[in-house]
Amino acid sequence: MKKKILSGMRPTGKLHLGHLVGALKNWSKLQDEYDCLFMVADWHALMSEYKNPANLKEYCLDNVIDWISCGINPEKSTLFVQSHVPEHLEMYMSLSCITPLGLLERCPTYKEQLRELKTREVNNYAFLGYPVLQAADILLYKAEVVPVGEDQLPHLELTREISNRFNTIFKQDVFPEPQAMLTQFPRLLGLDGRKMSKSYDNYIGLSDQPDIIYAKVKTMITDPRRIKKTDPGHPEVCNVYSYYQVFTDPRICSIVETQCEKGEIGCIDCKKRLGDVLVEFLEPIQEKRKALVSDHKTILKILEIGRAKAATIAGATMKQVRQAVGL
Ligand code: TRP
Ligand code: SF4
């Protein structure tokens, strides 16, 4: 039997290359080897976006369209929306009872968000329980493997802790200890060298058109020691070069590397070429996307099939959980 995977993404906006490299590429590779569930975490998004929920539903569909365009196959994997399966909240409450407050207050992601997101109101009750809902997502399906980015490791640690507490307190062996699986792909930084993020406005969107892509690449910071075109460059410190490494084959990379080191190519031309690479890379994805955008019916059908599959597993687990907790 295949091992079970669950992962999720918050629908807070349109997806960008960071999502593709950090998650989707990995998800699509795992589909054959594992039994995969991929979830749109709309309750998690609502915790921080509740004052601006106007686009939430649209982002749910739009993100799923991007998932499929990037190779997530609804025939192989189960795609669903968290809020379509109400058992998530039932599970969340069951786990809330056994989660010590201190574990949540000490959670590094919680402390960081409180510090960083002063502009958005995350100082709410739900937000403290963010990792408990995530644990509920994972345990509801008894997922054994959870592909996530490094930033999510504290949540996986908490999930294991909650899983063990549940089994111990209720003297049952209901839940496995889910393992985090980190992406093997190199991290892709944003245009300005910080983490690629919508809130930093330093991203290239999966649906950005060629003119936008070229314009955005133009703003990227290169090797600061290169002033004249003939100055020898250091591709290993250049963000533009790191994009080549992610989006094109080693042959082209080594040409760029040599030309840069020998001062044979200027950064302007090098960026133009990177623009070509990205436009070509995104073309088939955008082609697929175009077809799906005009076919919402198909997406809704995929999500309904996903909901039904997820609900079957979730219902069975909740039956066990209710029994274990004594309700
Ligand atoms: N917290 C995750 C993130 O921001 C999203 C998420 C919600 C998730 N539930 C999950 C990821 C369950 C993995 C498993 O990236
Ligand atoms: Fe970076 Fe290319 Fe300029 Fe070299 S030539 S510093 S790789 S942009």
Side-chain angles (χ1 to χ4, degrees), residues 222-223 226 233-235 238 240-241 244 256 260 265-267 270-271:
T222 65
D223 175 3
R226 283 196 96 193
H234 306 79
C238 175
V240 173
Y241 183 65
Y244 275 104
V256 172
C260 172
I265 184 177
C267 293
C270 188
K271 286 177 175 179

